[in-house]
Amino acid sequence: MKNLKIIMALITMGLFVGSCYYDEFPPDVVDIPDVVSYSNDIMPLWEGQCVSCHNGAIPPDLTPENSYESLLNGFVEEFDSENSILYLSLIHADGVSPMPTPTERWPASKTELVKAWIDQGALDN
């Protein structure tokens, strides 16, 4: 009888401990369209957080009327995200100002969208 109680206690503890687990956050899903549109996919990323600083006072000017020309003026190397200041700043690479802030990073879905746009030729579409 004593052994039965010990066995039941061990089984109960095993079930209790085995039922504890930690949920993981799902990975940031990156759904990149075949053709990334600057006006539909990229420009909306600047609204709010980016434009509050990059409104003409700090380059690049990311206001809707100036953002594309400003980015192609030294911040984006068409077809080459790995050498584009814009992308390098979003991934916090060495030697560039980290964006959106030194302590904050964008989710992979946003940075991969920017990377795809640049690697597709940084079209004004």
Side-chain angles (χ1 to χ4, degrees), residues 24-110:
E24 293 182 18
F25 288 108
D28 190 19
V29 177
V30 180
D31 187 22
I32 306 295
D34 291 335
V35 177
V36 180
S37 165
Y38 183 75
S39 59
N40 295 330
D41 300 317
I42 302 300
M43 203 161 52
L45 298 175
W46 313 146
E47 294 174 4
Q49 190 175 20
C50 299
V51 173
S52 63
C53 293
H54 294 280
N55 56 14
I58 300 173
D61 180 352
L62 296 178
T63 57
E65 60 276 359
N66 297 320
S67 62
Y68 182 77
E69 292 81 17
S70 185
L71 286 170
L72 265 66
N73 191 16
F75 294 93
V76 170
E77 296 292 327
E78 296 143 301
F79 300 104
D80 190 5
S81 61
E82 298 299 322
N83 286 309
S84 293
I85 294 171
L86 172 64
Y87 177 68
L88 294 173
S89 68
L90 292 175
I91 63 169
H92 292 208
D94 291 335
V96 295
S97 297
M99 292 292 144
T101 69
T103 58
E104 183 181 356
R105 292 177 185 255
W106 270 3
S109 59
K110 288 183 176 183

Side-chain angles (χ1 to χ4, degrees), residues 1-20:
M1 184 71 167
K2 190 174 184 179
N3 285 341
L4 182 61
K5 286 183 181 179
I6 292 173
I7 292 173
M8 291 302 289
L10 289 173
I11 290 173
T12 302
M13 285 176 45
L15 291 172
F16 178 72
V17 171
S19 68
C20 296

